[in-house]
mmCIF file of all heavy atoms in Angstrom:
data_model
loop_
_atom_site.group_PDB
_atom_site.id
_atom_site.type_symbol
_atom_site.label_atom_id
_atom_site.label_comp_id
_atom_site.label_asym_id
_atom_site.label_seq_id
_atom_site.Cartn_x
_atom_site.Cartn_y
_atom_site.Cartn_z
ATOM 1 N N GLY L 127 0.793 -1.224 0.000
ATOM 2 C CA GLY L 127 0.000 0.000 0.000
ATOM 3 C C GLY L 127 0.826 1.274 0.000
ATOM 4 O O GLY L 127 0.268 2.374 -0.083
ATOM 5 N N GLU L 128 2.152 1.171 0.089
ATOM 6 C CA GLU L 128 3.026 2.355 0.074
ATOM 7 C C GLU L 128 3.008 2.972 -1.330
ATOM 8 O O GLU L 128 3.174 2.275 -2.336
ATOM 9 C CB GLU L 128 4.450 1.944 0.448
ATOM 10 C CG GLU L 128 5.481 3.056 0.369
ATOM 11 C CD GLU L 128 5.217 4.175 1.350
ATOM 12 O OE1 GLU L 128 5.146 3.895 2.557
ATOM 13 O OE2 GLU L 128 5.078 5.326 0.897
ATOM 14 N N THR L 129 2.791 4.274 -1.413
ATOM 15 C CA THR L 129 2.705 4.940 -2.715
ATOM 16 C C THR L 129 3.774 6.006 -2.921
ATOM 17 O O THR L 129 4.007 6.441 -4.041
ATOM 18 C CB THR L 129 1.318 5.590 -2.885
ATOM 19 O OG1 THR L 129 1.094 6.518 -1.801
ATOM 20 C CG2 THR L 129 0.218 4.529 -2.881
ATOM 21 N N GLU L 130 4.429 6.427 -1.846
ATOM 22 C CA GLU L 130 5.397 7.514 -1.960
ATOM 23 C C GLU L 130 6.724 7.050 -2.548
ATOM 24 O O GLU L 130 7.446 7.828 -3.177
ATOM 25 C CB GLU L 130 5.637 8.122 -0.574
ATOM 26 C CG GLU L 130 6.577 9.322 -0.589
ATOM 27 C CD GLU L 130 6.791 9.891 0.800
ATOM 28 O OE1 GLU L 130 6.079 9.476 1.744
ATOM 29 O OE2 GLU L 130 7.688 10.751 0.945
ATOM 30 N N PHE L 131 7.040 5.750 -2.369
ATOM 31 C CA PHE L 131 8.323 5.222 -2.797
ATOM 32 C C PHE L 131 8.133 4.130 -3.847
ATOM 33 O O PHE L 131 7.040 3.582 -3.995
ATOM 34 C CB PHE L 131 9.070 4.642 -1.588
ATOM 35 C CG PHE L 131 9.419 5.652 -0.534
ATOM 36 C CD1 PHE L 131 8.534 5.932 0.504
ATOM 37 C CD2 PHE L 131 10.620 6.337 -0.589
ATOM 38 C CE1 PHE L 131 8.850 6.857 1.476
ATOM 39 C CE2 PHE L 131 10.946 7.268 0.387
ATOM 40 C CZ PHE L 131 10.062 7.536 1.421
ATOM 41 N N PRO L 132 9.225 3.790 -4.580
ATOM 42 C CA PRO L 132 9.126 2.688 -5.548
ATOM 43 C C PRO L 132 8.698 1.400 -4.860
ATOM 44 O O PRO L 132 9.098 1.116 -3.735
ATOM 45 C CB PRO L 132 10.559 2.569 -6.091
ATOM 46 C CG PRO L 132 11.183 3.895 -5.851
ATOM 47 C CD PRO L 132 10.558 4.407 -4.585
ATOM 48 N N SER L 133 7.888 0.614 -5.547
ATOM 49 C CA SER L 133 7.353 -0.619 -4.973
ATOM 50 C C SER L 133 8.007 -1.841 -5.613
ATOM 51 O O SER L 133 8.417 -1.803 -6.774
ATOM 52 C CB SER L 133 5.839 -0.687 -5.180
ATOM 53 O OG SER L 133 5.330 -1.943 -4.779
ATOM 54 N N ALA L 134 8.088 -2.924 -4.825
ATOM 55 C CA ALA L 134 8.633 -4.184 -5.333
ATOM 56 C C ALA L 134 7.536 -5.100 -5.862
ATOM 57 O O ALA L 134 7.830 -6.205 -6.321
ATOM 58 C CB ALA L 134 9.394 -4.901 -4.215
ATOM 59 N N LYS L 135 6.289 -4.642 -5.843
ATOM 60 C CA LYS L 135 5.183 -5.542 -6.165
ATOM 61 C C LYS L 135 5.209 -6.004 -7.617
ATOM 62 O O LYS L 135 4.681 -7.081 -7.936
ATOM 63 C CB LYS L 135 3.848 -4.873 -5.854
ATOM 64 C CG LYS L 135 3.504 -3.682 -6.724
ATOM 65 C CD LYS L 135 2.147 -3.100 -6.335
ATOM 66 C CE LYS L 135 1.791 -1.905 -7.217
ATOM 67 N NZ LYS L 135 0.472 -1.339 -6.843
ATOM 68 N N ASN L 136 5.814 -5.228 -8.507
ATOM 69 C CA ASN L 136 5.841 -5.617 -9.917
ATOM 70 C C ASN L 136 7.103 -6.384 -10.301
ATOM 71 O O ASN L 136 7.237 -6.809 -11.449
ATOM 72 C CB ASN L 136 5.707 -4.369 -10.798
ATOM 73 C CG ASN L 136 4.348 -3.707 -10.645
ATOM 74 O OD1 ASN L 136 3.332 -4.384 -10.490
ATOM 75 N ND2 ASN L 136 4.339 -2.381 -10.659
ATOM 76 N N ALA L 137 8.016 -6.551 -9.360
ATOM 77 C CA ALA L 137 9.233 -7.310 -9.643
ATOM 78 C C ALA L 137 8.902 -8.792 -9.793
ATOM 79 O O ALA L 137 7.988 -9.303 -9.152
ATOM 80 C CB ALA L 137 10.261 -7.114 -8.529
ATOM 81 N N HIS L 138 9.635 -9.462 -10.643
ATOM 82 C CA HIS L 138 9.432 -10.908 -10.802
ATOM 83 C C HIS L 138 9.724 -11.583 -9.468
ATOM 84 O O HIS L 138 10.722 -11.271 -8.805
ATOM 85 C CB HIS L 138 10.365 -11.468 -11.874
ATOM 86 C CG HIS L 138 10.006 -12.852 -12.315
ATOM 87 N ND1 HIS L 138 10.191 -13.960 -11.523
ATOM 88 C CD2 HIS L 138 9.454 -13.304 -13.474
ATOM 89 C CE1 HIS L 138 9.782 -15.039 -12.158
ATOM 90 N NE2 HIS L 138 9.330 -14.674 -13.349
ATOM 91 N N PRO L 139 8.860 -12.499 -9.015
ATOM 92 C CA PRO L 139 9.079 -13.131 -7.700
ATOM 93 C C PRO L 139 10.410 -13.853 -7.575
ATOM 94 O O PRO L 139 10.923 -14.002 -6.465
ATOM 95 C CB PRO L 139 7.899 -14.108 -7.577
ATOM 96 C CG PRO L 139 7.352 -14.259 -8.959
ATOM 97 C CD PRO L 139 7.623 -12.972 -9.665
ATOM 98 N N PHE L 140 10.987 -14.285 -8.690
ATOM 99 C CA PHE L 140 12.269 -14.987 -8.610
ATOM 100 C C PHE L 140 13.464 -14.052 -8.713
ATOM 101 O O PHE L 140 14.608 -14.504 -8.787
ATOM 102 C CB PHE L 140 12.358 -16.061 -9.706
ATOM 103 C CG PHE L 140 11.421 -17.225 -9.470
ATOM 104 C CD1 PHE L 140 11.078 -18.055 -10.509
ATOM 105 C CD2 PHE L 140 10.892 -17.466 -8.210
ATOM 106 C CE1 PHE L 140 10.214 -19.123 -10.305
ATOM 107 C CE2 PHE L 140 10.029 -18.521 -7.984
ATOM 108 C CZ PHE L 140 9.686 -19.357 -9.037
ATOM 109 N N SER L 141 13.201 -12.744 -8.741
ATOM 110 C CA SER L 141 14.324 -11.798 -8.738
ATOM 111 C C SER L 141 14.835 -11.549 -7.322
ATOM 112 O O SER L 141 15.898 -10.968 -7.131
ATOM 113 C CB SER L 141 13.905 -10.468 -9.372
ATOM 114 O OG SER L 141 12.871 -9.858 -8.609
ATOM 115 N N TYR L 142 14.074 -11.994 -6.336
ATOM 116 C CA TYR L 142 14.468 -11.818 -4.933
ATOM 117 C C TYR L 142 14.240 -13.135 -4.208
ATOM 118 O O TYR L 142 13.110 -13.504 -3.892
ATOM 119 C CB TYR L 142 13.642 -10.703 -4.288
ATOM 120 C CG TYR L 142 13.868 -10.556 -2.801
ATOM 121 C CD1 TYR L 142 14.949 -9.825 -2.315
ATOM 122 C CD2 TYR L 142 13.018 -11.163 -1.876
ATOM 123 C CE1 TYR L 142 15.167 -9.700 -0.943
ATOM 124 C CE2 TYR L 142 13.233 -11.040 -0.508
ATOM 125 C CZ TYR L 142 14.304 -10.309 -0.061
ATOM 126 O OH TYR L 142 14.529 -10.195 1.295
ATOM 127 N N MET L 143 15.324 -13.873 -3.979
ATOM 128 C CA MET L 143 15.229 -15.163 -3.291
ATOM 129 C C MET L 143 16.449 -15.371 -2.388
ATOM 130 O O MET L 143 17.236 -16.285 -2.591
ATOM 131 C CB MET L 143 15.143 -16.310 -4.297
ATOM 132 C CG MET L 143 13.894 -16.323 -5.138
ATOM 133 S SD MET L 143 13.795 -17.821 -6.153
ATOM 134 C CE MET L 143 15.235 -17.598 -7.209
ATOM 135 N N PRO L 144 16.644 -14.517 -1.386
ATOM 136 C CA PRO L 144 17.859 -14.633 -0.568
ATOM 137 C C PRO L 144 17.955 -15.920 0.234
ATOM 138 O O PRO L 144 19.049 -16.311 0.650
ATOM 139 C CB PRO L 144 17.776 -13.413 0.345
ATOM 140 C CG PRO L 144 16.316 -13.099 0.420
ATOM 141 C CD PRO L 144 15.774 -13.426 -0.942
ATOM 142 N N PHE L 145 16.820 -16.585 0.457
ATOM 143 C CA PHE L 145 16.833 -17.835 1.205
ATOM 144 C C PHE L 145 16.546 -19.044 0.327
ATOM 145 O O PHE L 145 16.255 -20.124 0.818
ATOM 146 C CB PHE L 145 15.805 -17.778 2.341
ATOM 147 C CG PHE L 145 16.156 -16.788 3.411
ATOM 148 C CD1 PHE L 145 15.590 -15.524 3.417
ATOM 149 C CD2 PHE L 145 17.058 -17.119 4.411
ATOM 150 C CE1 PHE L 145 15.912 -14.601 4.403
ATOM 151 C CE2 PHE L 145 17.390 -16.200 5.406
ATOM 152 C CZ PHE L 145 16.810 -14.944 5.405
ATOM 153 N N GLY L 146 16.641 -18.861 -0.989
ATOM 154 C CA GLY L 146 16.371 -19.962 -1.890
ATOM 155 C C GLY L 146 14.901 -20.034 -2.237
ATOM 156 O O GLY L 146 14.137 -19.080 -2.049
ATOM 157 N N PHE L 147 14.496 -21.199 -2.746
ATOM 158 C CA PHE L 147 13.153 -21.333 -3.285
ATOM 159 C C PHE L 147 12.638 -22.759 -3.114
ATOM 160 O O PHE L 147 13.396 -23.723 -3.184
ATOM 161 C CB PHE L 147 13.160 -20.972 -4.778
ATOM 162 C CG PHE L 147 11.910 -21.379 -5.506
ATOM 163 C CD1 PHE L 147 10.741 -20.649 -5.378
ATOM 164 C CD2 PHE L 147 11.903 -22.509 -6.321
ATOM 165 C CE1 PHE L 147 9.585 -21.035 -6.041
ATOM 166 C CE2 PHE L 147 10.755 -22.895 -6.989
ATOM 167 C CZ PHE L 147 9.593 -22.152 -6.853
ATOM 168 N N GLY L 148 11.339 -22.870 -2.901
ATOM 169 C CA GLY L 148 10.675 -24.164 -2.944
ATOM 170 C C GLY L 148 11.019 -25.072 -1.779
ATOM 171 O O GLY L 148 11.338 -24.626 -0.676
ATOM 172 N N ALA L 149 10.976 -26.368 -2.055
ATOM 173 C CA ALA L 149 11.162 -27.369 -1.005
ATOM 174 C C ALA L 149 12.545 -27.289 -0.371
ATOM 175 O O ALA L 149 12.734 -27.667 0.784
ATOM 176 C CB ALA L 149 10.931 -28.772 -1.576
ATOM 177 N N ARG L 150 13.539 -26.778 -1.125
ATOM 178 C CA ARG L 150 14.895 -26.695 -0.593
ATOM 179 C C ARG L 150 15.222 -25.297 -0.089
ATOM 180 O O ARG L 150 16.395 -24.951 0.086
ATOM 181 C CB ARG L 150 15.918 -27.129 -1.653
ATOM 182 C CG ARG L 150 15.885 -28.616 -1.949
ATOM 183 C CD ARG L 150 17.158 -29.120 -2.629
ATOM 184 N NE ARG L 150 18.191 -29.415 -1.660
ATOM 185 C CZ ARG L 150 18.956 -30.512 -1.680
ATOM 186 N NH1 ARG L 150 18.771 -31.419 -2.602
ATOM 187 N NH2 ARG L 150 19.885 -30.694 -0.779
ATOM 188 N N THR L 151 14.203 -24.507 0.164
ATOM 189 C CA THR L 151 14.464 -23.191 0.746
ATOM 190 C C THR L 151 15.179 -23.351 2.087
ATOM 191 O O THR L 151 15.052 -24.379 2.755
ATOM 192 C CB THR L 151 13.139 -22.413 0.926
ATOM 193 O OG1 THR L 151 13.433 -21.063 1.266
ATOM 194 C CG2 THR L 151 12.291 -23.028 2.019
ATOM 195 N N CYS L 152 15.942 -22.345 2.487
ATOM 196 C CA CYS L 152 16.741 -22.413 3.718
ATOM 197 C C CYS L 152 15.869 -22.777 4.917
ATOM 198 O O CYS L 152 14.929 -22.047 5.259
ATOM 199 C CB CYS L 152 17.427 -21.076 3.967
ATOM 200 S SG CYS L 152 18.294 -20.967 5.551
ATOM 201 N N ILE L 153 16.191 -23.878 5.554
ATOM 202 C CA ILE L 153 15.354 -24.357 6.651
ATOM 203 C C ILE L 153 15.529 -23.523 7.921
ATOM 204 O O ILE L 153 14.676 -23.513 8.790
ATOM 205 C CB ILE L 153 15.630 -25.846 6.939
ATOM 206 C CG1 ILE L 153 14.471 -26.452 7.738
ATOM 207 C CG2 ILE L 153 16.983 -26.026 7.661
ATOM 208 C CD1 ILE L 153 14.463 -27.954 7.772
ATOM 209 N N GLY L 154 16.623 -22.788 8.013
ATOM 210 C CA GLY L 154 16.858 -21.959 9.196
ATOM 211 C C GLY L 154 16.404 -20.523 9.045
ATOM 212 O O GLY L 154 16.699 -19.683 9.902
ATOM 213 N N ARG L 155 15.665 -20.238 7.978
ATOM 214 C CA ARG L 155 15.280 -18.857 7.683
ATOM 215 C C ARG L 155 14.563 -18.173 8.845
ATOM 216 O O ARG L 155 14.913 -17.059 9.233
ATOM 217 C CB ARG L 155 14.388 -18.834 6.437
ATOM 218 C CG ARG L 155 13.778 -17.470 6.166
ATOM 219 C CD ARG L 155 12.909 -17.467 4.928
ATOM 220 N NE ARG L 155 12.387 -16.132 4.665
ATOM 221 C CZ ARG L 155 11.766 -15.776 3.537
ATOM 222 N NH1 ARG L 155 11.584 -16.670 2.585
ATOM 223 N NH2 ARG L 155 11.338 -14.536 3.377
ATOM 224 N N ARG L 156 13.555 -18.815 9.401
ATOM 225 C CA ARG L 156 12.759 -18.166 10.447
ATOM 226 C C ARG L 156 13.605 -17.843 11.665
ATOM 227 O O ARG L 156 13.465 -16.787 12.278
ATOM 228 C CB ARG L 156 11.570 -19.042 10.826
ATOM 229 C CG ARG L 156 10.558 -19.196 9.710
ATOM 230 C CD ARG L 156 9.242 -19.747 10.217
ATOM 231 N NE ARG L 156 8.328 -20.010 9.121
ATOM 232 C CZ ARG L 156 7.597 -19.073 8.506
ATOM 233 N NH1 ARG L 156 7.688 -17.809 8.896
ATOM 234 N NH2 ARG L 156 6.791 -19.389 7.505
ATOM 235 N N PHE L 157 14.489 -18.767 12.038
ATOM 236 C CA PHE L 157 15.343 -18.524 13.206
ATOM 237 C C PHE L 157 16.312 -17.381 12.937
ATOM 238 O O PHE L 157 16.533 -16.528 13.798
ATOM 239 C CB PHE L 157 16.090 -19.797 13.576
ATOM 240 C CG PHE L 157 15.198 -20.895 14.089
ATOM 241 C CD1 PHE L 157 15.145 -22.118 13.452
ATOM 242 C CD2 PHE L 157 14.400 -20.702 15.204
ATOM 243 C CE1 PHE L 157 14.324 -23.127 13.916
ATOM 244 C CE2 PHE L 157 13.576 -21.704 15.688
ATOM 245 C CZ PHE L 157 13.532 -22.919 15.039
ATOM 246 N N ALA L 158 16.920 -17.359 11.742
ATOM 247 C CA ALA L 158 17.888 -16.311 11.416
ATOM 248 C C ALA L 158 17.224 -14.934 11.426
ATOM 249 O O ALA L 158 17.746 -13.975 12.025
ATOM 250 C CB ALA L 158 18.522 -16.596 10.060
ATOM 251 N N GLU L 159 16.085 -14.817 10.748
ATOM 252 C CA GLU L 159 15.381 -13.531 10.706
ATOM 253 C C GLU L 159 14.976 -13.083 12.111
ATOM 254 O O GLU L 159 15.116 -11.902 12.463
ATOM 255 C CB GLU L 159 14.137 -13.645 9.821
ATOM 256 C CG GLU L 159 14.445 -13.810 8.347
ATOM 257 C CD GLU L 159 13.187 -13.952 7.513
ATOM 258 O OE1 GLU L 159 12.221 -14.582 7.990
ATOM 259 O OE2 GLU L 159 13.174 -13.440 6.374
ATOM 260 N N PHE L 160 14.510 -14.016 12.884
ATOM 261 C CA PHE L 160 14.053 -13.733 14.245
ATOM 262 C C PHE L 160 15.201 -13.229 15.123
ATOM 263 O O PHE L 160 15.068 -12.218 15.827
ATOM 264 C CB PHE L 160 13.440 -15.021 14.792
ATOM 265 C CG PHE L 160 13.200 -15.044 16.269
ATOM 266 C CD1 PHE L 160 12.303 -14.184 16.860
ATOM 267 C CD2 PHE L 160 13.860 -15.968 17.068
ATOM 268 C CE1 PHE L 160 12.064 -14.235 18.228
ATOM 269 C CE2 PHE L 160 13.631 -16.018 18.423
ATOM 270 C CZ PHE L 160 12.735 -15.147 19.006
ATOM 271 N N GLU L 161 16.341 -13.897 15.094
ATOM 272 C CA GLU L 161 17.500 -13.472 15.887
ATOM 273 C C GLU L 161 17.922 -12.061 15.507
ATOM 274 O O GLU L 161 18.204 -11.216 16.372
ATOM 275 C CB GLU L 161 18.667 -14.435 15.658
ATOM 276 C CG GLU L 161 18.465 -15.847 16.185
ATOM 277 C CD GLU L 161 19.529 -16.793 15.666
ATOM 278 O OE1 GLU L 161 20.708 -16.396 15.632
ATOM 279 O OE2 GLU L 161 19.191 -17.925 15.273
#
């Protein structure tokens, strides 16, 4: 809903995958982000 700044909503979903993708996505993602 942010309108003042550029939005990432139109970017291809696979252009941003810092934790990988799909079944082999990083299993420790939630813990890392949380810490």
